[in-house]
Amino acid sequence: SAVISQKPSRDICQRGTSLTIQCQVDSQVTMMFWYRQQPGQSLTLIATANQGSEATYESGFVIDKFPISRPNLTFSTLTVSNMSPEDSSIYLCSVRSAGGPGETQYFGPGTRLLVL
Amino acid sequence: GQNIDQPTEMTATEGAIVQINCTYQTSGFNGLFWYQQHAGEAPTFLSYNVLDGLEEKGRFSSFLSRSKGYSYLLLKELQMKDSASYLCAARGGGYQKVTFGTGTKLQVIP
């Protein structure tokens, strides 16, 4: 199984500032994703991080608000820009390995963000 | 579109068996994941079903019927540590993304 680390694990930020979250995987993976989980709710996909090209964003999420980088197959960053209290959430990096019946998708430990 | 339904909460007794159901409507369906999530932690991968039928992994089993858009997670010999949320997630649609249900919060009681 892939081992995923995220930094920071948690942060408290002021309204209007930006935070960049890093995701590091211990092996090369084809697909990396960023999810958000708001308090008491399930996971919502923000975007698919593509290596060497622009991320693919889901409906309701835009690049100006959530810029994403993926310079190689093991690393990605998500920036939460111009934060407001509504951005308070857990942000999770996820990776998918292999394909077919043996496929798995793992999650990092998450970054807990509180915006004041 | 994507639509996934699962019960919000369930309660079961330690040592018993519990079945958590999930129905989905997913265009371009490819497969179905089950995850366990303890409060304050990230989801932990349990299973991924692509083919119809039952797959067993120790105390946990997962079943899929593609024709019915239906899956269940079966937990046997329940332990107190099994108290958690169980998330059903379907893979399909554009870019083969994974869409999550709202999760079933399972409480195991003595």
Side-chain angles (χ1 to χ4, degrees):
Chain A
S1 65
V3 177
I4 308 168
S5 60
Q6 282 184 236
K7 288 193 299 186
S9 59
R10 60 180 67 238
D11 208 343
I12 301 173
C13 300
Q14 295 297 319
R15 181 196 298 261
T17 62
S18 297
L19 176 72
T20 295
I21 303 168
Q22 298 181 4
C23 175
Q24 180 74 53
V25 188
D26 69 341
S27 58
Q28 294 187 345
V29 293
T30 52
M31 303 196 77
M32 294 180 76
F33 309 90
W34 286 97
Y35 284 81
R36 180 170 76 181
Q37 187 172 30
Q38 295 185 304
Q41 298 189 22
S42 191
L43 285 80
T44 301
L45 179 63
I46 297 172
T48 301
N50 301 309
Q51 191 229 340
S53 64
E54 192 172 289
T56 304
Y57 289 84
E58 296 300 308
S59 176
F61 298 96
V62 295
I63 188 170
D64 290 346
K65 175 67 175 178
F66 297 101
I68 289 171
S69 78
R70 191 179 173 191
N72 56 53
L73 291 177
T74 63
F75 184 78
S76 178
T77 66
L78 168 74
T79 299
V80 186
S81 303
N82 188 24
M83 288 184 283
S84 67
E86 292 71 33
D87 295 321
S88 297
S89 186
I90 300 173
Y91 292 86
L92 296 139
C93 173
S94 180
V95 303
R96 187 180 298 164
S97 63
E103 179 170 296
T104 53
Q105 183 161 332
Y106 297 104
F107 285 84
T111 296
R112 287 153 183 76
L113 173 62
L114 176 63
V115 184
L116 302 177
Chain B
Q2 322 287 344
N3 190 42
I4 298 173
D5 289 311
Q6 51 182 132
T8 304
E9 295 181 342
M10 297 182 72
T11 300
T13 305
E14 189 176 15
I17 299 173
V18 70
Q19 177 174 313
I20 303 174
N21 296 323
C22 171
T23 58
Y24 63 89
Q25 293 174 313
T26 303
S27 58
F29 177 79
N30 186 279
L32 193 120
F33 290 92
W34 282 98
Y35 288 87
Q36 179 191 63
Q37 186 175 29
H38 286 98
E41 298 181 10
T44 302
F45 171 84
L46 293 178
S47 64
Y48 179 58
N49 291 64
V50 175
L51 305 175
D52 284 357
L54 184 69
E55 293 192 8
E56 299 186 58
K57 287 184 182 180
R59 294 191 299 116
F60 291 9
S61 302
S62 56
F63 172 84
L64 177 67
S65 169
R66 296 175 70 110
S67 62
K68 295 182 179 178
Y70 168 69
S71 173
Y72 67 73
L73 181 69
L74 193 71
L75 290 74
K76 304 175 185 177
E77 301 170 15
L78 280 173
Q79 302 175 9
M80 299 300 290
K81 67 178 182 179
D82 296 329
S83 293
S85 287
Y86 291 86
L87 307 174
C88 168
R91 182 183 172 193
Y95 229 82
Q96 286 293 300
K97 71 176 188 179
V98 176
T99 302
F100 282 79
T102 54
T104 299
K105 187 174 181 180
L106 173 67
Q107 183 181 13
V108 179
I109 57 176

